[in-house]
Amino acid sequence: MEYVITIGEIAKTLLSSTARLIGHLISYNTNIKNLEKELQKLVDKKATEVDPRVDEAERNLEIIAESVIRWQKEVDDINQKGKEFLENDIEVINKCLNGLCPDPKSLYSLSRKAKEMTKKVLGLLQEAAKFDEITHPGPPPKIGSTFITEGIRDFESRESIKNEVWEALKDDKLSMISICGIGGVGKTTMVKQLVQEVERQKLFDEVAMAVVSQTPNIKKIQGDIASCLSLKLDDESELTRAGKLCQRLINCGKRILLILDDVWSELDFEKIGLPSRGERKGHTIMLTSRNKDVCNKMGSEKNFPVDVLTNEEAWDLFGEMAGISIDHHLHHTATEIANECGGLPIAIVNVQRH
Protein backbone atom coordinates (compact mmCIF):
# COMPACT_ATOMS: atom_id res chain seq x y z
CA MET A 1 0.00 0.00 0.00
CA GLU A 2 1.33 3.37 -0.92
CA TYR A 3 1.00 6.44 1.28
CA VAL A 4 0.70 9.79 -0.35
CA ILE A 5 1.62 12.73 1.91
CA THR A 6 0.49 16.04 0.61
CA ILE A 7 2.24 19.36 1.13
CA GLY A 8 -0.80 20.52 3.08
CA GLU A 9 -0.44 17.68 5.56
CA ILE A 10 3.25 18.40 6.01
CA ALA A 11 2.51 22.06 6.56
CA LYS A 12 -0.23 21.16 9.04
CA THR A 13 2.15 18.91 10.99
CA LEU A 14 4.86 21.57 11.06
CA LEU A 15 2.41 24.23 12.18
CA SER A 16 1.11 21.95 14.91
CA SER A 17 4.65 21.22 16.20
CA THR A 18 5.54 24.89 16.07
CA ALA A 19 2.38 25.81 17.95
CA ARG A 20 3.15 23.25 20.65
CA LEU A 21 6.70 24.51 20.94
CA ILE A 22 5.52 28.12 21.22
CA GLY A 23 2.95 27.07 23.83
CA HIS A 24 5.60 25.28 25.89
CA LEU A 25 7.91 28.29 25.54
CA ILE A 26 5.23 30.66 26.80
CA SER A 27 4.36 28.36 29.70
CA TYR A 28 8.05 27.84 30.48
CA ASN A 29 8.72 31.57 30.47
CA THR A 30 5.73 32.27 32.72
CA ASN A 31 6.79 29.64 35.25
CA ILE A 32 10.37 30.87 35.23
CA LYS A 33 9.27 34.46 35.89
CA ASN A 34 7.01 33.31 38.74
CA LEU A 35 9.84 31.30 40.27
CA GLU A 36 12.22 34.24 40.02
CA LYS A 37 9.72 36.64 41.61
CA GLU A 38 8.62 34.37 44.49
CA LEU A 39 12.17 33.20 45.22
CA GLN A 40 13.28 36.82 45.62
CA LYS A 41 10.37 37.42 48.03
CA LEU A 42 11.47 34.42 50.08
CA VAL A 43 15.11 35.46 50.19
CA ASP A 44 14.10 39.00 51.23
CA LYS A 45 11.80 37.61 53.92
CA LYS A 46 14.63 35.59 55.42
CA ALA A 47 17.24 38.36 55.18
CA THR A 48 15.15 41.27 56.45
CA GLU A 49 12.66 39.67 58.86
CA VAL A 50 13.56 36.21 60.13
CA ASP A 51 17.39 36.30 60.29
CA PRO A 52 17.55 39.60 62.27
CA ARG A 53 15.08 38.25 64.85
CA VAL A 54 17.08 35.05 65.17
CA ASP A 55 20.35 36.97 65.55
CA GLU A 56 18.86 39.18 68.25
CA ALA A 57 17.46 36.16 70.09
CA GLU A 58 20.85 34.43 70.04
CA ARG A 59 22.50 37.55 71.46
CA ASN A 60 19.96 37.40 74.30
CA LEU A 61 20.72 33.70 74.93
CA GLU A 62 17.24 32.63 73.82
CA ILE A 63 16.49 29.24 72.26
CA ILE A 64 15.52 29.27 68.56
CA ALA A 65 12.49 27.15 67.69
CA GLU A 66 13.42 23.99 65.76
CA SER A 67 10.85 24.83 63.08
CA VAL A 68 12.60 28.16 62.44
CA ILE A 69 16.04 26.56 62.20
CA ARG A 70 14.64 24.00 59.73
CA TRP A 71 12.91 26.80 57.74
CA GLN A 72 16.16 28.77 57.43
CA LYS A 73 17.96 25.70 56.12
CA GLU A 74 15.21 24.88 53.63
CA VAL A 75 15.23 28.47 52.35
CA ASP A 76 19.00 28.33 51.83
CA ASP A 77 18.64 24.99 50.00
CA ILE A 78 15.80 26.12 47.68
CA ASN A 79 17.61 29.39 47.00
CA GLN A 80 20.73 27.53 45.91
CA LYS A 81 18.75 25.16 43.69
CA GLY A 82 16.74 28.06 42.29
CA LYS A 83 19.88 30.00 41.36
CA GLU A 84 21.28 26.98 39.54
CA PHE A 85 17.98 26.42 37.74
CA LEU A 86 17.68 30.07 36.66
CA GLU A 87 21.26 30.06 35.38
CA ASN A 88 20.29 27.06 33.23
CA ASP A 89 17.28 29.08 31.97
CA ILE A 90 19.60 31.66 30.37
CA GLU A 91 21.25 28.81 28.50
CA VAL A 92 17.88 27.52 27.26
CA ILE A 93 16.81 30.99 26.01
CA ASN A 94 20.12 31.49 24.18
CA LYS A 95 19.72 28.14 22.42
CA CYS A 96 16.21 29.09 21.30
CA LEU A 97 17.47 32.39 19.91
CA ASN A 98 20.06 30.46 17.91
CA GLY A 99 17.50 27.99 16.54
CA LEU A 100 18.61 25.21 18.88
CA CYS A 101 15.58 25.19 21.13
CA PRO A 102 15.06 21.96 23.15
CA ASP A 103 12.28 19.67 22.02
CA PRO A 104 8.81 20.32 23.48
CA LYS A 105 9.09 17.44 25.94
CA SER A 106 12.27 18.85 27.48
CA LEU A 107 10.72 22.31 27.70
CA TYR A 108 7.61 20.85 29.33
CA SER A 109 9.77 19.01 31.87
CA LEU A 110 11.75 22.18 32.70
CA SER A 111 8.55 24.21 32.94
CA ARG A 112 7.00 21.69 35.31
CA LYS A 113 10.13 21.70 37.47
CA ALA A 114 10.00 25.51 37.71
CA LYS A 115 6.34 25.26 38.74
CA GLU A 116 7.13 22.68 41.45
CA MET A 117 9.96 24.82 42.83
CA THR A 118 7.65 27.84 42.92
CA LYS A 119 5.11 25.77 44.86
CA LYS A 120 7.80 24.90 47.40
CA VAL A 121 8.83 28.57 47.68
CA LEU A 122 5.22 29.66 48.22
CA GLY A 123 4.87 27.03 50.95
CA LEU A 124 7.91 28.43 52.76
CA LEU A 125 6.53 31.98 52.46
CA GLN A 126 3.23 30.85 53.96
CA GLU A 127 5.06 29.07 56.79
CA ALA A 128 7.03 32.24 57.60
CA ALA A 129 3.80 34.23 57.77
CA LYS A 130 2.71 31.99 60.67
CA PHE A 131 5.85 32.68 62.69
CA ASP A 132 4.85 34.46 65.86
CA GLU A 133 7.24 33.62 68.66
CA ILE A 134 10.26 32.20 66.87
CA THR A 135 12.23 31.82 70.09
CA HIS A 136 11.73 31.03 73.73
CA PRO A 137 13.89 32.01 76.71
CA GLY A 138 16.94 29.84 77.17
CA PRO A 139 17.92 28.38 80.52
CA PRO A 140 19.79 30.80 82.76
CA PRO A 141 23.55 30.30 82.82
CA LYS A 142 24.71 27.91 85.50
CA ILE A 143 25.49 30.03 88.51
CA GLY A 144 28.88 28.39 88.89
CA SER A 145 29.91 29.91 85.56
CA THR A 146 29.45 33.38 87.07
CA PHE A 147 31.88 32.71 89.94
CA ILE A 148 35.55 33.60 89.59
CA THR A 149 37.41 31.02 91.65
CA GLU A 150 40.47 30.60 89.47
CA GLY A 151 43.58 31.54 91.37
CA ILE A 152 41.92 31.22 94.79
CA ARG A 153 44.35 29.60 97.18
CA ASP A 154 43.32 26.20 98.54
CA PHE A 155 44.39 25.75 102.16
CA GLU A 156 44.83 22.42 103.84
CA SER A 157 42.60 23.50 106.72
CA ARG A 158 39.82 24.20 104.18
CA GLU A 159 40.19 21.16 101.97
CA SER A 160 39.17 18.67 104.64
CA ILE A 161 36.04 20.74 105.46
CA LYS A 162 35.18 21.09 101.78
CA ASN A 163 35.44 17.31 101.34
CA GLU A 164 33.15 16.75 104.32
CA VAL A 165 30.57 19.17 102.92
CA TRP A 166 30.77 17.41 99.56
CA GLU A 167 30.00 14.06 101.19
CA ALA A 168 27.08 15.66 103.03
CA LEU A 169 25.68 17.00 99.75
CA LYS A 170 25.74 13.46 98.37
CA ASP A 171 23.86 12.13 101.41
CA ASP A 172 20.15 11.87 100.56
CA LYS A 173 19.30 11.62 104.25
CA LEU A 174 20.43 15.22 104.84
CA SER A 175 18.06 17.95 103.63
CA MET A 176 19.76 20.94 105.28
CA ILE A 177 23.40 21.63 106.12
CA SER A 178 25.30 24.75 107.09
CA ILE A 179 28.78 26.24 106.86
CA CYS A 180 29.48 28.49 109.84
CA GLY A 181 32.26 30.87 110.78
CA ILE A 182 33.04 34.52 111.42
CA GLY A 183 32.82 37.06 108.61
CA GLY A 184 35.68 37.00 106.10
CA VAL A 185 36.76 33.47 106.96
CA GLY A 186 35.95 32.16 103.46
CA LYS A 187 32.50 30.55 103.75
CA THR A 188 31.12 32.03 100.53
CA THR A 189 34.32 31.23 98.63
CA MET A 190 34.02 27.62 99.72
CA VAL A 191 30.37 27.53 98.62
CA LYS A 192 31.29 28.89 95.18
CA GLN A 193 33.93 26.20 94.72
CA LEU A 194 31.46 23.53 95.81
CA VAL A 195 28.79 24.84 93.40
CA GLN A 196 31.20 24.61 90.48
CA GLU A 197 32.02 21.03 91.42
CA VAL A 198 28.31 20.21 91.84
CA GLU A 199 27.63 21.51 88.32
CA ARG A 200 30.65 19.75 86.84
CA GLN A 201 29.64 16.40 88.31
CA LYS A 202 25.88 17.03 87.87
CA LEU A 203 25.22 16.13 91.50
CA PHE A 204 21.99 18.17 91.35
CA ASP A 205 19.73 18.99 88.41
CA GLU A 206 19.47 22.65 89.37
CA VAL A 207 21.28 25.04 91.72
CA ALA A 208 19.77 28.25 93.09
CA MET A 209 21.42 30.81 95.33
CA ALA A 210 20.32 33.94 97.17
CA VAL A 211 22.24 36.30 99.44
CA VAL A 212 20.17 36.92 102.58
CA SER A 213 22.25 39.56 104.44
CA GLN A 214 21.62 41.22 107.81
CA THR A 215 18.33 42.79 106.68
CA PRO A 216 16.57 40.16 104.53
CA ASN A 217 14.49 41.37 101.59
CA ILE A 218 11.96 38.57 101.06
CA LYS A 219 11.00 39.63 97.54
CA LYS A 220 14.65 39.82 96.48
CA ILE A 221 15.37 36.37 97.93
CA GLN A 222 12.33 34.97 96.12
CA GLY A 223 13.38 36.67 92.89
CA ASP A 224 17.00 35.46 93.05
CA ILE A 225 15.93 31.85 93.61
CA ALA A 226 13.22 32.03 90.92
CA SER A 227 15.66 33.50 88.40
CA CYS A 228 18.06 30.58 88.89
CA LEU A 229 15.16 28.19 88.30
CA SER A 230 13.77 30.01 85.20
CA LEU A 231 10.58 30.77 87.11
CA LYS A 232 8.87 34.04 86.26
CA LEU A 233 7.51 35.86 89.31
CA ASP A 234 5.42 38.94 88.63
CA ASP A 235 5.38 41.90 90.95
CA GLU A 236 2.72 40.30 93.13
CA SER A 237 2.38 39.98 96.86
CA GLU A 238 5.02 38.07 98.80
CA LEU A 239 2.39 35.45 99.63
CA THR A 240 1.47 34.81 95.97
CA ARG A 241 5.12 34.66 94.97
CA ALA A 242 5.84 32.27 97.83
CA GLY A 243 3.06 29.95 96.66
CA LYS A 244 4.39 29.86 93.09
CA LEU A 245 7.96 29.28 94.20
CA CYS A 246 6.96 26.48 96.57
CA GLN A 247 4.91 24.74 93.85
CA ARG A 248 7.85 24.99 91.42
CA LEU A 249 10.18 23.39 93.95
CA ILE A 250 7.81 20.64 95.05
CA ASN A 251 6.32 19.62 91.69
CA CYS A 252 9.35 19.77 89.37
CA GLY A 253 10.60 16.26 90.24
CA LYS A 254 14.24 17.40 90.15
CA ARG A 255 17.09 17.37 92.61
CA ILE A 256 17.69 20.97 93.60
CA LEU A 257 20.42 22.57 95.72
CA LEU A 258 19.21 25.78 97.39
CA ILE A 259 21.89 28.02 98.86
CA LEU A 260 21.08 30.79 101.33
CA ASP A 261 24.25 32.80 101.83
CA ASP A 262 25.05 35.16 104.70
CA VAL A 263 22.16 34.28 107.01
CA TRP A 264 22.11 36.42 110.16
CA SER A 265 18.84 35.47 111.78
CA GLU A 266 16.21 32.73 111.59
CA LEU A 267 14.27 32.80 108.33
CA ASP A 268 10.61 31.98 107.77
CA PHE A 269 10.79 29.43 104.94
CA GLU A 270 7.03 29.48 104.42
CA LYS A 271 7.12 33.25 103.88
CA ILE A 272 9.83 32.85 101.22
CA GLY A 273 8.22 29.84 99.56
CA LEU A 274 10.74 27.14 100.49
CA PRO A 275 9.43 23.64 101.20
CA SER A 276 9.34 22.35 104.76
CA ARG A 277 11.57 19.44 105.67
CA GLY A 278 8.89 16.84 104.90
CA GLU A 279 8.27 18.34 101.45
CA ARG A 280 11.90 18.44 100.33
CA LYS A 281 11.93 15.56 97.87
CA GLY A 282 15.52 15.40 96.65
CA HIS A 283 16.20 18.99 97.70
CA THR A 284 19.08 20.13 99.87
CA ILE A 285 19.34 23.54 101.52
CA MET A 286 22.83 24.83 102.32
CA LEU A 287 23.25 27.82 104.63
CA THR A 288 26.23 29.99 105.35
CA SER A 289 26.13 31.96 108.57
CA ARG A 290 28.23 33.55 111.26
CA ASN A 291 25.97 32.04 113.88
CA LYS A 292 25.71 28.27 114.33
CA ASP A 293 22.75 28.66 116.71
CA VAL A 294 20.72 30.38 113.97
CA CYS A 295 21.38 27.44 111.64
CA ASN A 296 20.35 24.96 114.34
CA LYS A 297 17.09 26.83 114.93
CA MET A 298 16.35 26.68 111.21
CA GLY A 299 16.77 22.91 111.23
CA SER A 300 20.32 22.38 109.98
CA GLU A 301 21.11 18.70 110.37
CA LYS A 302 24.86 19.06 110.06
CA ASN A 303 27.07 22.09 110.70
CA PHE A 304 30.56 22.59 109.32
CA PRO A 305 32.58 25.19 111.24
CA VAL A 306 35.25 27.08 109.29
CA ASP A 307 38.00 28.52 111.49
CA VAL A 308 40.57 31.21 110.75
CA LEU A 309 43.76 30.30 108.91
CA THR A 310 46.62 28.69 110.79
CA ASN A 311 49.68 30.91 111.29
CA GLU A 312 51.56 29.06 108.55
CA GLU A 313 48.69 29.46 106.09
CA ALA A 314 48.32 33.17 106.95
CA TRP A 315 52.06 33.76 106.43
CA ASP A 316 51.98 31.91 103.11
CA LEU A 317 48.97 33.89 101.92
CA PHE A 318 50.60 37.19 102.84
CA GLY A 319 53.80 36.20 101.07
CA GLU A 320 51.90 35.08 97.99
CA MET A 321 49.93 38.32 97.81
CA ALA A 322 53.06 40.40 98.37
CA GLY A 323 55.04 38.38 95.86
CA ILE A 324 57.77 37.59 98.37
CA SER A 325 59.12 34.55 100.15
CA ILE A 326 58.66 34.57 103.93
CA ASP A 327 62.13 33.76 105.26
CA HIS A 328 63.42 34.25 108.82
CA HIS A 329 64.04 37.96 108.12
CA LEU A 330 60.38 38.62 107.32
CA HIS A 331 58.90 36.06 109.67
CA HIS A 332 58.25 38.58 112.46
CA THR A 333 56.54 41.05 110.06
CA ALA A 334 54.38 38.31 108.55
CA THR A 335 53.39 37.09 112.00
CA GLU A 336 52.37 40.59 113.08
CA ILE A 337 50.25 41.09 109.95
CA ALA A 338 48.66 37.65 110.27
CA ASN A 339 47.79 38.32 113.91
CA GLU A 340 46.53 41.80 113.10
CA CYS A 341 44.21 40.31 110.47
CA GLY A 342 42.99 37.63 112.84
CA GLY A 343 43.90 34.89 110.36
CA LEU A 344 41.10 36.02 108.04
CA PRO A 345 41.93 35.47 104.35
CA ILE A 346 39.89 38.48 103.18
CA ALA A 347 41.63 40.77 105.69
CA ILE A 348 45.12 39.62 104.67
CA VAL A 349 44.29 40.14 100.98
CA ASN A 350 42.90 43.63 101.65
CA VAL A 351 45.93 44.63 103.76
CA GLN A 352 48.25 43.70 100.92
CA ARG A 353 46.12 45.58 98.37
CA HIS A 354 46.23 48.74 100.46
Side-chain angles (χ1 to χ4, degrees), residues 92-107:
V92 170
I93 297 299
N94 287 335
K95 282 183 178 179
C96 287
L97 292 173
N98 292 308
L100 300 171
C101 200
D103 64 87
K105 286 185 180 179
S106 295
L107 268 179

Side-chain angles (χ1 to χ4, degrees), residues 14-73:
L14 288 173
L15 284 171
S16 176
S17 297
T18 303
R20 277 200 306 274
L21 180 59
I22 291 170
H24 286 312
L25 270 172
I26 292 170
S27 176
Y28 171 76
N29 188 57
T30 300
N31 289 336
I32 285 292
K33 293 298 180 186
N34 285 341
L35 173 61
E36 199 169 18
K37 181 180 71 175
E38 299 303 331
L39 187 59
Q40 189 59 54
K41 283 185 189 176
L42 181 64
V43 170
D44 291 345
K45 183 85 170 176
K46 179 176 182 292
T48 63
E49 295 182 34
V50 178
D51 285 354
R53 289 172 67 188
V54 168
D55 292 342
E56 182 182 5
E58 287 176 338
R59 286 194 296 272
N60 290 321
L61 303 179
E62 294 180 349
I63 304 298
I64 313 302
E66 285 297 325
S67 59
V68 175
I69 296 172
R70 176 189 53 75
W71 183 89
Q72 287 179 301
K73 185 178 183 306

Side-chain angles (χ1 to χ4, degrees), residues 77-100:
D77 289 345
I78 195 73
N79 184 39
Q80 183 60 37
K81 289 175 183 175
K83 281 181 179 177
E84 292 170 2
F85 187 81
L86 292 171
E87 284 172 7
N88 183 59
D89 167 60
I90 296 171
E91 206 175 302
V92 170
I93 297 299
N94 287 335
K95 282 183 178 179
C96 287
L97 292 173
N98 292 308
L100 300 171

Side-chain angles (χ1 to χ4, degrees), residues 5 17 52 57-58 65-66 73 94-95 109 113 125 129 137 144 164 174 186 212 215 269 281 286-287 296 302 317-318:
I5 301 175
S17 297
E58 287 176 338
E66 285 297 325
K73 185 178 183 306
N94 287 335
K95 282 183 178 179
S109 177
K113 187 174 181 182
L125 280 168
E164 288 176 20
L174 297 174
V212 178
T215 52
F269 280 3
K281 300 170 184 176
M286 180 160 61
L287 313 172
N296 289 334
K302 199 161 188 178
L317 178 59
F318 173 74

Side-chain angles (χ1 to χ4, degrees), residues 3 10 100 216 219 267:
Y3 293 93
I10 294 172
L100 300 171
K219 275 197 170 184
L267 291 172

